[in-house]
Amino acid sequence: MKQYQFSNLLGATYQGGRIEFTPDGNSLLSPVGNRVSIVDLVQGRSATLHPETRKDIAVLALSPDGRLLLCIDKAGNCLLLNFVKGAVLCRINFKGRVRSAQWSPDSQWVAVTHGRKIQIWRAPNIELGWQFVQHRVFGGHHDDVLDIAWSSDSLFLATASADLNVRLWSLNPMEGFKPAVLADHRSSVRGVFFSKDSQYVYSMSVNGIMLSLQYKEFDPNPFEEQQAPLYCRPGEWSVASKAHTDLPAGQRVTRCAFDASANIFAAGFSGGIFMLFEMPGLQALHTLSLGKSPLDGIALGAGGDWLAVGSSEVGQLFVWEWRSETYILKQQGHHWGVKSVSFSPSANSSLKRQKTLATTEGKAEDRATVSGRLMATGGYDGKVKVFNAQSGLCFVTFAEHTASVNALCFTPQGNAILSASADGSVRAFDLLRYRNFRTFASPDGLCQFTGIAVDGGGEIVAASAGSGKYAIYVWSIQTGNVLEVLAGHTSQVQCLQFSPSSLHPGQMVSGGWDGVLCVWDLYTSESKGGTTEKLDCTSSVVALAFDPRGNDVCAASCLAGTIMFWNVCTAETVGSIDGLRDIQSGRRFGDKFSATHTRGVKAGQGLGKKLPSDGVNYNQHYTSISYTRSGEILLCGSERSPHLSLYDTTSFTLARRVTLTQNYSLSGIRTFLNSKQLTEAGVPMQMLDVSDSDASDEEVAKIGLRKREDQSLPGVHIGEAQDRYSERELHVWDVDVSPDAQQFAAATSHGVFVFSTVNSGGGGASWSGSHVSSNFVPQMLTKKVSGPAVLHALKEGDLSRAMILALALNDFQLIRKVYESVPIRDVAVIVASIGAPLLPALLWYLGMEMRPISGTPHFQFHVHWIATLIDVHFNTLMDMSLGKSTVRTGAAIEAAAASRSDVAALCLQLLVELTQRHAAMSKVFDSNIYLLRYLARRPGQDEAAAVEEGKSGAAALQDDEDWSKEEAEAAAEAEALAKKASDDDENDAEAVGGKKGKAKKKAKKVAAAAAVAAAAAEASEEQNAVDEEAEKTATKKSKKGKAAKAKAKGKKRSKAVDDDDEDDLVDAVKVDPATLLSATRQKARRL
């Protein structure tokens, strides 16, 4: 059987106590009853630590290094927690009410108020055995100390008291320091704080007077290095500034906070107003109102930018960024308790690109595809809230109902929620557009609905009536019309449910206070007119549930703790459970007897029972039951018991009992009450207001109690009109199990308690996520299966053996060590060597690695493992999920207890994690596709391309320069030839004058030389034009080698021009071989 542990507490209202930010400002700590709730404001998730104090928490104090957390309840009982792992290190009783506790900035000391005194304790550490060691005790105040502050150097303390004074103390006796008394207030001082340089001390009284006190040295020397602390030098205190809040009459300061790094001061008032001031000038920045309810908690974080405010009267906690005036967090639980709870069904989700709950922009249809990850709750305040069961935050609230929501369920597709309320309406809420798209009402007038069910196709909804005709009303979800009115019960119809069997799709069973189970078939004409088959039970039926395996077995919870199992097709009982003694309800504060099963039996005479039923309290029964997905476990919860029972449906025996809470502040938790808490008249002290304090917070509390008593009605124990005593009672109204059986939830009068399996990693054992599971749950345990054996096999390089031993030991850190040591090429070999008994452990581990909180970012490596596992062991996993014993599985089903019931759930969990991770990564890839293309390039590719382009450009420029030089040389040679020819002509003319034949030849030579020069000049101009065009074309091309192509094209065109010029040149100088030789040599150089 799976091991469940407490995971989270959802839907609970803020009930008072100090709230605090973590040192990094990313998370907010707040008390929820006797546990600590943590909200991660950056990642958008919440968790509740498993350790709990004896009573409701009043003071929280987190060390500045974020390692240790003090949780002190209203009676002075303290828990010291390892904040990272959520483990209890030490317990201590301060033997009195603690109003404030503060860690020193160096995390070495703890200051705690104890009435009129202040106790200084050494911070527990491993050298001290995690025990508190008292250092000093200060006394001097004449009334209770309300607040403590440390200086930045951890050497001095300032205390604020109800005696109107602020006192300064030193941690150790110091030379030159004198304890100071600052008596400038005229009312109780609510808070005191040091500035960052310790030069100022800020204090605020309950009447709204704020003082800024400054310490001034007598003879300060800025050039001399001061060795002594500031307060040990000669000086005096003076009032630097004073401010009055000018609030309406009757309002008092309830809480205040200060951020030294940003010099921001915040104050909350009893009228719902909170103000922000900038220090040390006491300049008002903001004045806002949360309502008319007093503020019980206020804190500053994120460098003074975020302001957290809590009010217990309205049960609201929100974080506000005052600079941009936007909400960071706004959470509000159900007032007066949670009546019903339901998980979203398992749906076939594809790996398409979609947004999920991992992002705040996820759409509703994407949320609905996440199997069992949504949880809907209905409360007595008429609200329906939808939570992400994985993150623990509420993302939508429907407030259309005007009375308590008695029952709710999801449609089979998971895209809508149906709720039945005591206001006489059944409403359908769309998770796509977040609206109420259908409202169903009774055609017979107003009646209160107690139960609701929807068929397997999601087309028909049925609701049971607790008044009027005691009928069952059936509507069509698409049209909203009434299809049937089934009347077969003679008393209130308490519950109903459709059969999950595919052979009977329209079969429905209903149970009522008349002790009858009615079996209906809505898809046959025989049921028209109200005919039904009735099954008689031993007493009134208060809850029922169908076996999800489709075997037509229905479990019905009756009075006196009896659970009957019926086969609704054969009308036979297949078993029963007598759970009367397993319920074990607790004793209320007003009960006259202890909650034992020996009522009326005299002490000293043994049990003295004549019958086994003597002394048993018959006024107990299970008010809600629910099956796990495998159908092997039945979860049962009783209204008056703090325990949940898990029964084995095969042997009909109790498998385990889970305790919800041990909060002694609640009524009905303990079996015996302490006689010290009773007066002489036998009245419990919890039912009396014995506080005689005149502190302002007590006065505000008394005013709130008087208002509550004026609104309460006698005899009302539930809802808005209940009295203060009934408000402290614990009631369990509904239970439900997630489709993957990894979680179950219990709806109570103080929130929804969520429990997760030990191996699912969803427990509250570790807030940081680094410590996945603190319980040792091995799959196999022999002499050879040990941690050193795993490390030895890993050291020897035998990865297959190391992986098998690590999976058998089922230790997360050892599995990860071996897992990350496997090369990707050997994954197929390692997976093939793993036998069927260890496959569930491997599936669980891969699911944990796919989670962003507990896994590593090696997504491709994880996907390769998953794909290889499916390819190699697909048939084995199918057989194990169906419970078959074949050659592949062998004795795996008997060897591994989780094989039959967990394989399908583990595969489903792995699919959910893979879908969420894929969708989240797809969103990132889609929004950064061009950046990814840029990053996907080979490192240095752009630089190499740029260098190559620069080289080609330089070569082109060099070629152009060489070509220009060659053209100039050719022109000069042509001019020299022309000049020489001219000189020769002149000489010949003078020597041979009159020889016309020679003159004509010389004239031809001169004309040829002139033609050569003209042709060379024209070719040069054309070549320059071609090169300019080539350069323009090359600059327009991309950087990947296109400049070289443009240059080649330009050279090709240049070659064509040169060929034409060469033809002209040959024609012009046919008579001059020397000129032709010179042009040919020039062309060869250019090419």
Side-chain angles (χ1 to χ4, degrees):
M1 178 186 170
K2 295 182 179 180
Q3 299 294 324
Y4 291 93
Q5 65 181 4
F6 177 80
S7 173
N8 210 343
L9 180 60
L10 309 178
T13 59
Y14 171 73
Q15 299 176 356
R18 174 166 296 184
I19 58 179
E20 188 171 350
F21 281 95
T22 54
D24 56 4
N26 295 334
S27 303
L28 177 66
L29 282 68
S30 63
V32 182
N34 65 336
R35 288 188 168 101
V36 181
S37 176
I38 310 172
V39 180
D40 193 328
L41 303 174
V42 177
Q43 298 185 8
R45 62 188 180 100
S46 70
T48 305
L49 299 183
H50 180 269
E52 49 183 338
T53 57
R54 291 187 179 182
K55 295 185 177 182
D56 290 343
I57 296 177
V59 176
L60 291 176
L62 182 63
S63 60
D65 56 7
R67 295 175 56 249
L68 301 178
L69 175 64
L70 282 179
C71 306
I72 308 175
D73 63 10
K74 295 181 178 179
N77 301 303
C78 175
L79 289 182
L80 177 67
L81 304 180
N82 184 330
F83 180 67
V84 178
K85 295 186 176 181
V88 179
L89 300 176
C90 179
R91 299 176 186 266
I92 188 174
N93 187 359
F94 291 113
K95 299 180 180 180
R97 181 178 179 181
V98 177
R99 295 182 179 273
S100 179
Q102 293 290 340
W103 291 83
S104 62
D106 58 2
S107 302
Q108 299 297 321
W109 308 94
V110 181
V112 180
T113 65
H114 188 271
R116 303 177 183 180
K117 299 181 179 180
I118 303 99
Q119 299 178 353
I120 308 298
W121 301 80
R122 292 184 180 273
N125 51 42
I126 192 171
E127 288 79 9
L128 299 176
W130 301 109
Q131 299 296 320
F132 285 88
V133 177
Q134 193 175 77
H135 178 64
R136 295 187 67 184
V137 178
F138 298 112
H141 285 288
H142 302 288
D143 206 337
D144 290 345
V145 180
L146 303 180
D147 195 16
I148 301 176
W150 285 87
S151 60
S152 58
D153 53 7
S154 303
L155 297 178
F156 303 96
L157 297 92
T159 57
S161 173
D163 62 357
L164 320 184
N165 296 329
V166 174
R167 290 179 177 265
L168 267 71
W169 319 84
S170 63
L171 177 63
N172 298 304
M174 305 181 68
E175 183 180 357
F177 175 77
K178 296 180 180 180
V181 179
L182 310 178
D184 294 288
H185 287 283
R186 297 297 178 264
S187 60
S188 300
V189 184
R190 171 55 61 192
V192 60
F193 307 94
F194 281 96
S195 63
K196 189 174 183 179
D197 56 0
S198 301
Q199 187 176 1
Y200 293 89
V201 171
Y202 309 120
S203 61
M204 174 169 275
S205 60
V206 296
N207 60 357
I209 301 298
M210 183 186 301
L211 292 179
S212 176
L213 305 173
Q214 184 180 10
Y215 186 78
K216 296 182 180 180
E217 296 184 58
F218 290 141
D219 297 320
N221 188 358
F223 301 101
E224 181 181 356
E225 183 179 358
Q226 301 291 344
Q227 299 295 333
L230 176 63
Y231 300 147
C232 296
R233 308 170 200 166
E236 64 177 359
W237 288 94
S238 62
V239 178
S241 56
K242 183 177 182 180
H244 195 283
T245 54
D246 295 332
L247 294 177
Q251 292 203 20
R252 307 171 70 88
V253 178
T254 56
R255 292 290 182 269
C256 51
F258 176 69
D259 190 281
S261 60
N263 284 329
I264 301 297
F265 190 95
F269 300 87
S270 59
I273 297 176
F274 60 91
M275 301 182 66
L276 289 175
F277 301 90
E278 185 177 5
M279 310 304 285
L282 304 181
Q283 299 177 0
L285 299 177
H286 280 279
T287 300
L288 297 174
S289 176
L290 186 62
K292 297 183 179 180
S293 303
L295 304 181
D296 301 288
I298 191 168
L300 286 168
D305 293 337
W306 290 356
L307 175 67
V309 179
S311 176
S312 61
E313 187 170 326
V314 297
Q316 191 174 30
L317 181 67
F318 72 90
V319 179
W320 186 62
E321 187 178 10
W322 63 272
R323 297 186 187 274
S324 61
E325 299 185 0
T326 57
Y327 283 106
I328 305 299
L329 173 73
K330 189 174 182 181
Q331 290 288 308
Q332 186 175 15
H334 288 283
H335 289 287
W336 317 303
V338 183
K339 178 65 175 177
S340 55
V341 63
S342 178
F343 280 96
S344 60
S346 58
N348 296 326
S349 58
S350 60
L351 293 178
K352 61 182 181 180
R353 293 187 177 183
Q354 56 183 6
K355 298 176 182 178
T356 63
L357 281 174
T359 62
T360 57
E361 301 176 3
K363 297 182 180 179
E365 65 271 16
D366 301 329
R367 297 186 178 99
T369 59
V370 183
S371 171
R373 284 296 175 260
L374 297 187
M375 185 178 65
T377 60
Y380 277 99
D381 53 2
K383 296 180 181 179
V384 175
K385 292 180 177 290
V386 185
F387 291 86
N388 180 354
Q390 196 170 19
S391 67
L393 295 179
C394 172
F395 59 88
V396 62
T397 301
F398 302 104
E400 281 76 10
H401 286 293
T402 58
S404 63
V405 180
N406 294 327
L408 52 81
C409 65
F410 282 85
T411 57
Q413 296 79 14
N415 55 3
I417 299 175
L418 300 169
S419 61
S421 174
D423 61 0
S425 66
V426 174
R427 297 179 182 270
F429 301 100
D430 186 6
L431 292 180
L432 175 62
R433 299 176 180 85
Y434 298 137
R435 63 184 182 91
N436 176 210
F437 70 94
R438 284 286 186 274
T439 301
F440 311 99
S442 170
D444 302 327
L446 181 62
C447 65
Q448 295 181 338
F449 293 106
T450 57
I452 192 171
V454 62
D455 69 329
E459 299 177 354
I460 296 176
V461 57
S464 58
S467 60
K469 295 182 178 181
Y470 305 125
I472 299 174
Y473 299 90
V474 183
W475 297 274
S476 171
I477 297 180
Q478 295 182 355
T479 62
N481 298 329
V482 177
L483 302 180
E484 292 280 352
V485 179
L486 307 177
H489 290 275
T490 59
S491 184
Q492 175 175 327
V493 185
Q494 186 68 21
C495 49
L496 75 164
Q497 193 171 8
F498 279 91
S499 173
S501 175
S502 59
L503 301 177
H504 308 90
Q507 190 179 63
M508 183 180 65
V509 177
S510 61
W513 286 2
D514 54 2
V516 174
L517 282 180
C518 293
V519 183
W520 313 85
D521 194 349
L522 301 181
Y523 292 166
T524 60
S525 58
E526 292 155 356
S527 65
K528 304 291 184 180
T531 59
T532 180
E533 182 180 359
K534 296 185 178 181
L535 307 177
D536 294 331
C537 298
T538 57
S539 59
S540 300
V541 179
V542 293
L544 58 85
F546 262 104
D547 193 323
R549 291 175 289 190
N551 52 9
D552 299 325
V553 175
C554 178
S557 174
C558 304
L559 299 181
T562 302
I563 301 176
M564 302 184 66
F565 295 85
W566 290 87
N567 189 319
V568 295
C569 291
T570 61
E572 296 178 351
T573 58
V574 296
S576 63
I577 294 176
D578 185 8
L580 184 60
R581 291 174 177 80
D582 300 331
I583 295 176
Q584 191 56 60
S585 62
R587 180 179 177 180
R588 263 59 181 170
F589 294 147
D591 292 347
K592 302 302 181 183
F593 299 94
S594 298
T596 61
H597 297 302
T598 59
R599 180 179 300 179
V601 178
K602 295 182 179 180
Q605 300 180 0
L607 293 179
K609 293 185 177 182
K610 297 180 180 180
L611 297 174
S613 59
D614 290 349
V616 178
N617 181 13
Y618 284 94
N619 192 23
Q620 301 177 103
H621 56 271
Y622 290 114
T623 55
S624 179
I625 58 177
S626 178
Y627 272 98
T628 59
R629 184 181 182 274
S630 63
E632 298 178 351
I633 299 297
L634 182 67
L635 176 65
C636 306
S638 176
E639 174 188 348
R640 292 183 172 272
S641 174
H643 310 289
L644 299 179
S645 301
L646 288 88
Y647 289 98
D648 187 351
T649 57
T650 304
S651 60
F652 303 107
T653 57
L654 179 67
R656 191 185 177 193
R657 192 168 66 177
V658 179
T659 302
L660 296 178
T661 180
Q662 296 179 353
N663 188 1
Y664 291 167
S665 297
L666 302 179
S667 176
I669 299 299
R670 292 186 288 181
T671 304
F672 299 93
L673 295 181
N674 195 339
S675 59
K676 294 182 180 179
Q677 302 295 329
L678 299 177
T679 63
E680 296 180 356
V683 179
M685 300 289 290
Q686 292 87 348
M687 301 183 65
L688 303 176
D689 186 8
V690 295
S691 175
D692 57 352
S693 175
D694 294 332
S696 59
D697 52 351
E698 298 290 344
E699 296 177 3
V700 172
K702 290 179 180 179
I703 294 174
L705 289 177
R706 286 196 295 268
K707 292 181 179 179
R708 185 63 180 273
E709 291 174 357
D710 293 340
Q711 297 176 357
S712 62
L713 297 176
V716 178
H717 303 286
I718 300 170
E720 183 178 4
Q722 65 182 347
D723 54 13
R724 181 174 61 91
Y725 160 68
S726 300
E727 186 179 1
R728 305 306 302 167
E729 291 184 353
L730 177 67
H731 299 277
V732 180
W733 299 112
D734 193 13
V735 294
D736 193 26
V737 184
S738 63
D740 56 2
Q742 298 295 318
Q743 291 179 319
F744 69 80
T748 69
S749 56
H750 290 76
V752 180
F753 291 82
V754 181
F755 287 77
S756 302
T757 56
V758 174
N759 290 342
S760 67
S766 172
W767 162 245
S768 64
S770 59
H771 186 74
V772 178
S773 177
S774 59
N775 292 354
F776 180 64
V777 187
Q779 294 289 321
M780 297 178 185
L781 193 59
T782 62
K783 293 182 179 180
K784 296 183 179 180
V785 179
S786 62
V790 176
L791 298 178
H792 178 72
L794 186 61
K795 184 178 180 181
E796 295 294 331
D798 192 352
L799 298 179
S800 298
R801 179 180 176 82
M803 177 59 71
I804 292 174
L805 293 176
L807 291 174
L809 195 62
N810 202 19
D811 184 79
F812 183 82
Q813 298 299 334
L814 281 177
I815 298 176
R816 172 175 285 182
K817 189 176 184 63
V818 179
Y819 176 80
E820 294 181 347
S821 302
V822 177
I824 194 170
R825 64 179 180 273
D826 298 337
V827 172
V829 178
I830 302 299
V831 172
S833 64
I834 298 174
L838 299 179
L839 290 181
L842 181 58
L843 287 172
W844 165 77
Y845 174 78
L846 291 176
M848 295 301 301
E849 287 290 355
M850 292 301 298
R851 291 190 175 186
I853 299 175
S854 59
T856 57
H858 311 306
F859 182 72
Q860 184 178 0
F861 189 63
H862 304 328
V863 172
H864 183 69
W865 269 83
I866 295 172
T868 306
L869 175 63
I870 295 175
D871 292 340
V872 176
H873 295 289
F874 178 78
N875 294 328
T876 304
L877 294 174
M878 290 293 295
D879 294 340
M880 294 174 67
S881 62
L882 297 176
K884 297 180 181 179
S885 180
T886 62
V887 178
R888 288 184 298 272
T889 60
I893 299 177
E894 291 75 20
S899 296
R900 294 180 61 185
S901 59
D902 287 0
V903 169
L906 290 172
C907 292
L908 182 61
Q909 174 75 15
L910 187 61
L911 177 62
V912 170
E913 300 297 341
L914 186 63
T915 305
Q916 290 186 346
R917 193 78 173 268
H918 181 270
M921 294 179 65
S922 298
K923 178 179 179 298
V924 177
F925 293 157
D926 291 340
S927 59
N928 297 277
I929 183 171
Y930 296 105
L931 179 61
L932 291 173
R933 288 180 180 176
Y934 174 76
L935 296 177
R937 287 184 174 183
R938 180 167 50 86
Q941 183 176 2
D942 291 343
E943 292 79 357
V947 172
E948 187 65 26
E949 181 182 0
K951 290 182 178 179
S952 61
L957 292 176
Q958 185 66 32
D959 292 340
D960 292 341
E961 293 178 358
D962 296 342
W963 183 83
S964 300
K965 291 180 179 179
E966 291 176 357
E967 290 292 334
E969 291 176 358
E973 186 177 358
E975 292 178 358
L977 290 175
K979 185 176 182 181
K980 183 178 180 180
S982 178
D983 294 340
D984 293 340
D985 291 341
E986 292 179 357
N987 295 332
D988 292 340
E990 292 176 358
V992 188
K995 295 181 179 180
K996 296 182 179 179
K998 293 182 178 180
K1000 290 182 180 180
K1001 292 180 179 179
K1002 295 295 183 181
K1004 288 182 180 180
K1005 291 181 180 181
V1006 172
V1012 169
E1018 185 179 357
S1020 176
E1021 291 178 358
E1022 291 182 1
Q1023 183 63 32
N1024 292 334
V1026 170
D1027 291 341
E1028 290 178 0
E1029 184 179 357
E1031 289 178 0
K1032 291 181 181 180
T1033 305
T1035 55
K1036 293 180 181 179
K1037 301 293 183 178
S1038 60
K1039 295 182 179 181
K1040 294 183 179 181
K1042 294 184 179 180
K1045 295 181 180 180
K1047 187 66 179 178
K1049 184 178 180 181
K1051 289 184 177 181
K1052 185 176 181 181
R1053 296 179 59 183
S1054 176
K1055 183 179 180 181
V1057 175
D1058 292 341
D1059 292 340
D1060 297 338
D1061 297 339
E1062 186 177 357
D1063 296 338
D1064 298 338
L1065 185 63
V1066 170
D1067 295 338
V1069 295
K1070 286 181 178 179
V1071 294
D1072 192 354
T1075 305
L1076 179 60
L1077 180 61
S1078 175
T1080 305
R1081 184 174 63 253
Q1082 176 184 355
K1083 180 62 179 176
R1085 291 178 181 177
R1086 185 168 48 188
L1087 293 177

